[in-house]
Amino acid sequence: MTRVAFIGLGNMGSGMAANQAKAGREVVAFDLSADAMARAKEQGMSPAASAADAVKDANVVITMLPAGQHVRDVYLEAILPNAPKDALLVDCSTIDVDSARTVARDASMQGFRTADAPVSGGTAAATGGTLTFMVGCREQDFAEVEEALKPMAKAIIRAGDSGTGQAAKICNNMLLGISMIATSEAFALAEALGVDAQKFFDISSKASGQCWSMTSYCPWPGPVPAAPSNRDYEGGFASAMMLKDLKLAQDAADTVGTPTPLGGAAEALYGELVRGGYANRDFSIILQMLRGTLQLNRE
Ligand code: NAD
């Protein structure tokens, strides 16, 4: 039986690890949070005393951690010194491209096979096993990576070698942040010019302005019933997470010297929203900031 060590059982990781267990794999789980560990036990996983303990007999090690520093620390202190050298190491967190390439290089120098495999889809897809994975790994390792990710996935796409999964993820999310702002600006202007929001949706969703932010995740409440705008922007994808991804994109753009003026503007606007007190609300609430209906904390 495949033994999976799963480290990081937060909003995303808990559902993902549970799907590994449901697929009949033996899951040894670790998180710093006692609540997360108790939940893992209820879901049929074996709790480990530490990350080092979790990986020691693993065939596959999956990490789902907040940011680059956490991934670097866990790899350096727990995984590389303790995992069997034939274990496949897959990091699914969204982190900076440099950290992804650094941990992959350090691991491969010790003989491990690695992949960066960040996800698109949010907590509902994590629980439902319908995430999209963007993978950076050697071509010859991809079939094994696919097999490891299958119980959690709707789609698994190899972007290229190490770091390209993260690169694709942050480019995608930069596009999403910009398109959500663009959609919100259009709704706000249409309103100010006297066009009913539903009418604007009916027209633009069938015209050349159509995009995912409008037709699947409309920031204006009403036209898309499942969108967080209908739940007072609760749940969904937090503005703080969007800001994190936009910062990663800007840092990466600086590193390679590619101009991303709209990405920079999107980072500034989400920075204002997050500092203003809306870090935990869904990122489509930016519509309300642009309409001037939010009370922003200016301290
Ligand atoms: P989260 O904060 O809910 O979970 C992270 C977990 O990691 C926490 O439970 C924390 O206790 C644990 N952790 C931190 N340091 C640790 C350590 N040293 N050892 C063991 N456990 C440790 O975050 P999340 O929402 O699950 O997101 C995880 C990653 O997925 C992030 O990189 C995020 O950007 C990305 N992501 C999130 C979403 C989303 O909708 N939440 C969507 C796509 C991608």
Side-chain angles (χ1 to χ4, degrees):
M1 187 197 275
T2 306
R3 275 189 309 273
V4 178
F6 208 112
I7 303 171
L9 308 161
N11 292 327
M12 296 293 291
S14 61
M16 292 165 69
N19 284 326
Q20 290 284 346
K22 274 187 217 150
R25 298 174 179 183
E26 182 187 343
V27 180
V28 185
F30 180 70
D31 193 289
L32 296 175
S33 145
D35 286 350
M37 292 297 284
R39 210 170 40 235
K41 206 170 166 188
E42 278 165 23
Q43 290 169 325
M45 298 171 226
S46 311
S50 64
D53 192 35
V55 303
K56 69 179 187 321
D57 296 316
N59 307 117
V60 178
V61 176
I62 300 176
T63 40
M64 192 56 171
L65 296 164
Q69 187 66 52
H70 307 85
V71 174
R72 287 199 303 276
D73 290 351
V74 169
Y75 264 70
L76 211 66
E77 291 159 20
I79 299 174
L80 300 186
N82 295 293
K85 292 286 181 270
D86 61 354
L88 174 70
L89 313 181
V90 186
D91 178 42
C92 297
S93 329
T94 302
I95 65 171
D96 57 288
V97 176
D98 276 353
S99 291
R101 290 195 168 133
T102 301
V103 296
R105 189 198 55 220
D106 292 352
S108 70
M109 275 163 54
Q110 297 190 30
F112 289 102
R113 287 154 299 124
T114 66
D116 49 290
V119 304
S120 172
T123 51
T127 309
T130 55
L131 292 165
T132 295
F133 288 84
M134 308 160 211
V135 181
C137 71
R138 297 187 314 173
E139 197 164 8
Q140 62 265 41
D141 296 334
F142 183 57
E144 207 187 336
V145 174
E146 267 188 305
E147 184 57 31
L149 299 177
K150 217 188 308 178
M152 314 183 286
K154 173 179 75 179
I156 305 169
I157 302 158
R158 179 173 175 267
D161 289 334
S162 285
T164 56
Q166 294 296 349
K169 164 78 184 173
I170 60 177
C171 291
N172 178 72
N173 278 24
M174 181 179 79
L175 180 57
L176 174 63
I178 293 168
S179 82
M180 183 54 77
I181 292 168
T183 302
S184 297
E185 278 188 10
F187 270 101
L189 181 59
E191 176 189 32
L193 295 174
V195 183
D196 173 71
Q198 181 65 50
K199 276 278 174 256
F200 177 64
F201 176 86
D202 293 344
I203 293 165
S204 196
S205 63
K206 290 180 185 58
S208 48
Q210 183 274 339
C211 65
W212 186 90
S213 292
M214 175 177 288
T215 54
S216 294
Y217 215 90
C218 188
W220 194 288
V224 177
S229 53
N230 301 293
R231 306 190 298 270
D232 202 18
Y233 305 94
E234 296 292 349
F237 183 49
S239 297
M241 290 278 194
M242 174 50 82
L243 179 60
K244 172 193 150 186
D245 292 355
L246 289 168
K247 281 182 194 296
L248 290 176
Q250 288 312 103
D251 289 349
D254 286 347
T255 309
V256 291
T258 299
T260 49
L262 289 183
E267 184 197 356
L269 285 166
Y270 273 103
E272 194 182 333
L273 180 67
V274 166
R275 282 193 305 281
Y278 295 88
N280 295 324
R281 304 286 279 281
D282 181 75
F283 79 114
S284 61
I285 200 172
I286 196 108
L287 167 83
Q288 303 301 346
M289 185 175 95
L290 294 167
R291 288 178 75 216
T293 61
L294 294 185
Q295 286 273 30
L296 292 180
N297 178 359
R298 299 279 181 193
E299 278 166 27

